Amino acid sequence: MTTRAWPGPAAPGRRELLGFAAAGLLAYAVDLVLFTYLRGPAALDPLTAKALSFVAACAVAYAGNALGPYRTARVRGLRPFAVFFAVNLAGAAVQLLCLAVSHYGLGLTSQRADTVSGAVVGMALATVLRFWGTRTWVFRAEGRVGSWTG
């Protein structure tokens, strides 16, 4: 019996992973810097700050993926961006849940605690979901799309 390392029909290639990571790192930097500014000097509440930083980071991530690892995917119109946005909303929900549990549930209300829970722990968990959704539903290649159970 053989086991596969990736849950779809084709394992992601090194270039795909590195390109996704590069676009994600840039988006992460935008998210982190903007969230930190909005939570600190702009004095917004943590959920509003995270929502605004997410929207900016989502636009950066889409552009980075469309121009980088998935530039050969023939996506047209608004549908790919809408699906990308939906996948990233699911990832954002994971991040917001981590932030809400930490800030409101556990009472960890410092800016540092908000940053760690929303932009570190939440981001790590959401990244797996975003990668899978991006390659499966947004920039899918012929013959590559599959379910988690393959």
Side-chain angles (χ1 to χ4, degrees):
M1 175 182 274
T2 61
T3 58
R4 289 193 299 217
W6 185 253
R14 176 176 271 204
R15 282 186 146 169
E16 181 183 4
L17 287 171
L18 291 175
F20 183 85
L25 283 173
L26 181 58
Y28 179 76
V30 168
D31 187 23
L32 181 61
V33 168
L34 188 55
F35 177 75
T36 301
Y37 171 77
L38 293 173
R39 260 311 271 143
L44 294 179
D45 71 272
L47 297 182
T48 301
K50 178 46 87 179
L52 292 173
S53 68
F54 160 75
V55 171
C58 188
V60 169
Y62 183 82
N65 281 295
L67 298 172
Y70 302 110
R71 68 184 168 279
T72 59
R74 294 193 172 140
V75 295
R76 297 191 194 328
L78 291 178
R79 183 194 175 282
F81 183 76
V83 174
F84 185 83
F85 194 78
V87 166
N88 279 274
L89 275 176
V94 169
Q95 288 179 264
L96 288 171
L97 181 62
C98 289
L99 179 59
V101 166
S102 171
H103 190 89
Y104 299 110
L106 300 176
L108 303 172
T109 60
S110 71
Q111 183 175 347
R112 179 179 294 173
D114 288 344
T115 301
V116 169
S117 63
V120 178
V121 175
M123 179 65 79
L125 295 173
T127 296
V128 173
L129 173 66
R130 287 181 174 129
F131 179 74
W132 178 80
T134 296
R135 81 183 309 263
T136 302
W137 290 327
V138 181
F139 300 109
R140 57 182 172 226
E142 193 66 35
R144 186 185 71 203
V145 177
S147 70
W148 281 102
T149 58

